[in-house]
Amino acid sequence: MKEDFENYNIEDEDDAKHYTMWSIVPRIMTTPASGWLMARDRGPTAEMATLRFLLPLSLLSGASDFLSLLYPLQNTFQGVLVGGVINFFSFFLGYYIALVLARLFLPKEGREFPTSNYGRLLTMTGIATLAIFHIVSMALPMLDFIFEFLPLWTLFLIYRGMHLAEFKTDKSFYALGVMCVTVICSPMLVLWIFSFFT
């Protein structure tokens, strides 16, 4: 897989151009090797990406719950509103929880990775794909059985993105496991916490 990164030259793109996460994430989802290189070398700062990408996407994900009112699923407006707010927080807070958990459980020599710009963009991208899958599943509930398997694609994308992380060979698979588990489980953890209040 590493040869894919070696064969792609980011300099083939516009030399001075920096990309937004709105253009990087679709590229990662379709051509991971070039997309992850773009995120690492030409991506925005994580702070800017949080405000201009993750926050709006999380809001859109929460708002997508209102699409369920269009289908005869016996949903109430109040129930959909609460569910939308919870889904917003599951993705937005899930990102920060994933960063904290990753730093706690990564190998000692790699605990700075979640605080690096690329590490934060990688985590954000994983969370973003889950939010995108949620939006599509709310728009097309009749295909819900297919969307249940889409987080596997998120795991694959994280696997590809971790090729650019500088971990020692004997720790790389453990680090990959930590990043996969924290990204997938953090939104679920937020949902579980909110379940005690609803």
Side-chain angles (χ1 to χ4, degrees), residues 1-182:
M1 294 283 187
K2 279 192 174 181
E3 58 270 17
D4 294 344
F5 293 95
E6 294 168 357
N7 292 335
Y8 182 81
N9 184 5
I10 195 67
E11 298 302 326
D12 293 339
E13 307 289 339
D14 298 334
D15 286 342
K17 188 171 182 178
H18 282 263
Y19 297 87
T20 68
M21 293 301 287
W22 292 106
S23 60
I24 291 173
V25 170
R27 182 103 171 230
I28 290 173
M29 295 178 72
T30 53
T31 53
S34 63
W36 284 122
L37 282 170
M38 186 185 295
R40 185 192 66 180
D41 299 336
R42 300 290 176 81
T45 63
E47 292 81 5
M48 182 180 295
T50 301
L51 291 176
R52 297 186 180 181
F53 173 70
L54 183 62
L55 178 59
L57 183 63
S58 299
L59 287 169
L60 185 60
S61 177
S64 70
D65 280 32
F66 285 93
L67 292 173
S68 64
L69 293 174
L70 302 177
Y71 300 96
L73 300 175
Q74 299 181 343
N75 292 315
T76 64
F77 180 83
Q78 181 179 357
V80 171
L81 178 62
V82 171
V85 171
I86 291 174
N87 277 315
F88 161 72
F89 282 112
S90 71
F91 294 116
F92 193 69
L93 292 182
Y95 163 68
Y96 291 101
I97 292 173
L99 292 177
V100 171
L101 293 177
R103 189 161 190 189
L104 286 174
F105 292 105
L106 280 172
K108 186 176 181 180
E109 62 273 14
R111 286 180 184 164
E112 296 306 312
F113 177 69
T115 62
S116 68
N117 196 65
Y118 179 67
R120 293 168 71 183
L121 292 182
L122 183 145
T123 305
M124 187 183 302
T125 299
I127 297 290
T129 60
L130 297 176
I132 291 169
F133 297 152
H134 174 75
I135 293 169
V136 178
S137 69
M138 295 306 298
L140 301 170
M142 67 290 296
L143 299 178
D144 192 50
F145 65 97
I146 295 177
F147 297 125
E148 290 179 0
F149 296 97
L150 287 180
L152 295 175
W153 188 247
T154 298
L155 296 177
F156 172 73
L157 295 178
I158 295 171
Y159 163 71
R160 297 305 309 275
M162 288 295 287
H163 278 97
L164 297 180
E166 298 179 355
F167 286 97
K168 293 181 180 179
T169 304
D170 61 334
K171 301 290 185 181
S172 59
F173 283 105
Y174 174 74
L176 171 63
V178 169
M179 294 305 299
C180 287
V181 171
T182 54

